[in-house]
Amino acid sequence: MSADTVPVTGWGRTAPTAARLIRPRSYEEAVAAVRGCGGRGGIPRGLGRAYGDAAQNAGGAVFDMTGLDRLHVVDADNGIVLCDAGVSLHRLMEVLLPLGWFVPVTPGTRHVTVGGAIGADIHGKNHHGSGSFSRHVLSFELLTADGEIRTVGRGTPLFDATCGGMGLTGMILTATVQLLPVETSLMSVDTERARDLDDLMARLKAGDHRYRYSVAWIDLTARGAATGRAVLTRGDHAPLDALKGGTRARGNPLAFRTRQFPAPPALLPEGLVNRTTVGLFNELWYRKAPHARTGRLQRISAFFHPLDGVPHWNRVYGRGGFVQYQFVVGYGHEEALHRIVRRVAEHRCPSFLAVLKRFGDADPGWLSFPVPGWTLALDVPAALPGLGALLDELDEEVAAAGGRVYLAKDSRLRPELVAAMYPRLDDFRALRAELDPRGVFVSDLARRLNL
């Protein structure tokens, strides 16, 4: 079991700190790592796709879980998999798609571990109908601060605290997950343009029930009458009879195909992502989108994870990195969403990865992010003048509307707002205090927000 002190940062690359990176390769090594992690504690880490400081632990230990990457049981009849927490969603797709099964929920990257998916209680384009990842987890094994391994089932306080608990209740070792049956590895996709935010929201409300997956790319650089204009993309897994005879896909309908492009250089010019370049990109992207197109067949990887085809795409923001800001406000608070979109547009935030979705029913995780309502995610260069003050204002707007900010993407939220956003926070703190009185599991995020 290796242990080296290295810089550790989130995907946004905004606040690196140094920690001892420990990579257990067995459950025995995992227990030894937790028991011997030292006074600064430790935090599990998957593939490093949390944008902020959730998987960092300055001066302490970080447990690299990717050494635990075995698939123990694949029940191809019932669509259930038992696997180690370090198995990635990419690996599950490689193994399971040819058997006719797909992961129940995937975010915008497949380079997420199963343990990370539970710890952040990830959501995807299907939340309005399928909920978050934890809804499909049947049970998991959790290594707690006392060195014991517990089997945790649904409906228990420890299950609800761990799902969305950002690794702070213990180290997930294995998970049993219910999968989704599919007939092909292609998606049937409908695309349409919305002229402004009102038009977009009306289309989402009127039509989302007809689709398993729904997401809108939104142009946050557009102002005036075009504020909130968007490209709406919705779809479902293509049935076998949707494939044309004689095509490559028809011959191997469950093949998992991906596309890889060259990685951007490690050192890109500062300021490459700015108001001019993003404004031009967004204009071109909106205009090239079809006014309305139905039934286009698209690879799973292209529909769900287009940026995974560009390794280290986060480098395009330069050395300063970027902030990804995601919030949700409930139904009935649409005016708050309007105000936020207008504020972002007026500030001319250069965001070309902005998406709007609708959330359905919440799952029981105490710190799980999704609640019924509208969620907007946007990325902004960290060095943008006035960004901190703007996001502080948006936090206040979100909290006043009864909404919340996504902890898996956060890197700068003020701690006094967390309790207002997450009403079960005191329950979470109490369970942590009882389960882990010495604070063995801790992170930069937990210290910053007093979780």
Side-chain angles (χ1 to χ4, degrees):
M1 178 172 59
S2 60
D4 300 309
T5 299
V6 297
V8 182
T9 188
W11 191 245
R13 305 167 69 212
T14 53
T17 54
R20 287 185 301 117
L21 194 66
I22 304 173
R23 192 168 189 256
R25 296 179 178 274
S26 68
Y27 302 155
E28 293 76 16
E29 289 188 354
V31 172
V34 169
R35 286 179 169 167
C37 64
R40 290 285 287 181
I43 191 70
R45 180 182 176 95
L47 289 165
R49 293 306 177 100
Y51 284 79
D53 52 3
Q56 298 174 214
N57 181 27
V62 169
F63 308 121
D64 178 353
M65 300 303 296
T66 59
L68 296 173
D69 60 354
R70 292 161 295 181
L71 274 70
H72 296 280
V73 178
V74 176
D75 181 346
D77 293 328
N78 297 301
I80 297 174
V81 62
L82 168 62
C83 64
D84 282 346
V87 172
S88 69
L89 299 191
H90 174 88
R91 179 63 178 150
L92 290 183
M93 292 176 199
E94 284 184 323
V95 173
L96 300 171
L97 261 174
L99 302 177
W101 298 97
F102 189 62
V103 295
V105 171
T106 177
T109 175
R110 59 185 180 273
H111 299 304
V112 176
T113 62
V114 170
I118 297 170
D121 201 13
I122 60 172
H123 56 272
K125 300 175 182 180
N126 59 340
H127 192 278
H128 61 283
S130 301
S132 51
F133 194 85
S134 66
R135 185 177 300 185
H136 310 275
V137 175
L138 305 179
S139 65
F140 52 78
E141 289 184 302
L142 186 72
L143 171 59
T144 48
D146 55 8
E148 299 299 315
I149 298 175
R150 310 178 186 213
T151 299
V152 183
R154 298 181 58 83
T156 63
L158 189 51
F159 187 97
D160 294 344
T162 301
C163 295
M166 306 310 297
L168 296 172
T169 61
M171 179 190 292
I172 298 170
L173 296 177
T174 68
T176 303
V177 183
Q178 178 68 59
L179 305 167
L180 176 71
V182 296
E183 295 182 8
T184 75
S185 61
L186 295 174
M187 305 297 297
S188 177
V189 182
D190 294 352
T191 304
E192 57 191 290
R193 290 199 315 210
R195 64 183 179 273
D196 57 29
L197 185 58
D198 283 328
D199 185 30
L200 171 62
M201 295 168 73
R203 291 171 185 261
L204 287 165
K205 286 192 288 187
D208 267 3
H209 66 281
R210 298 196 300 269
Y211 297 89
R212 183 181 298 273
Y213 303 101
S214 174
V215 67
W217 169 86
I218 183 169
D219 182 4
L220 293 178
T221 64
R223 291 180 286 176
T227 298
R229 67 180 180 178
V231 179
L232 176 55
T233 306
R234 297 185 283 199
D236 206 338
H237 297 276
L240 188 60
D241 60 15
L243 308 188
K244 296 178 181 178
T247 64
R248 179 185 175 191
R250 183 75 185 185
N252 192 3
L254 289 167
F256 179 45
R257 299 186 178 94
T258 62
R259 180 177 296 175
Q260 200 79 350
F261 297 97
L267 297 176
L268 285 167
E270 292 297 311
L272 183 64
V273 177
N274 57 52
R275 287 162 170 157
T276 300
T277 58
V278 172
L280 178 60
F281 172 88
N282 286 5
E283 181 70 27
L284 293 174
W285 191 260
Y286 181 77
R287 290 189 179 277
K288 86 175 198 54
H291 285 280
R293 181 176 60 198
T294 60
R296 182 191 180 194
L297 294 180
Q298 197 172 22
R299 294 177 181 176
I300 272 177
S301 58
F303 180 77
F304 290 108
H305 316 118
L307 286 175
D308 281 350
V310 184
H312 305 293
W313 61 263
N314 55 342
R315 292 175 181 170
V316 303
Y317 294 89
R319 292 184 184 88
F322 71 104
V323 172
Q324 183 155 111
Y325 182 71
Q326 184 170 5
F327 67 89
V328 58
V329 292
Y331 298 123
H333 293 277
E334 284 77 9
E335 189 50 45
L337 177 63
H338 275 274
R339 285 193 296 269
I340 291 172
V341 170
R342 287 196 298 268
R343 287 286 290 116
V344 172
E346 289 165 1
H347 197 81
R348 300 183 62 212
C349 289
S351 179
F352 63 89
L353 294 176
V355 295
L356 182 72
K357 297 192 292 279
R358 295 172 71 244
F359 281 158
D361 292 340
D363 289 291
W366 292 350
L367 297 188
S368 183
F369 169 65
V371 292
W374 304 93
T375 181
L376 176 65
L378 59 141
D379 66 304
V380 189
L384 182 72
L387 179 61
L390 172 66
L391 295 183
D392 284 347
E393 292 174 11
L394 301 190
D395 290 341
E396 297 283 355
E397 182 84 55
V398 169
R404 56 184 58 168
V405 168
Y406 192 15
L407 298 182
K409 296 183 177 180
D410 177 57
S411 60
R412 27 74 43 209
L413 182 66
R414 303 198 311 279
E416 60 267 24
L417 291 177
V418 180
M421 293 180 173
Y422 290 89
R424 298 297 302 270
L425 179 60
D426 283 344
D427 294 328
F428 181 79
R429 287 170 172 161
L431 184 142
R432 275 194 74 206
E434 179 182 349
L435 191 67
D436 184 7
R438 295 184 296 114
V440 171
F441 289 99
V442 66
S443 64
D444 291 350
L445 173 81
R447 291 191 184 96
R448 176 170 58 85
L449 296 179
N450 188 27
L451 300 179

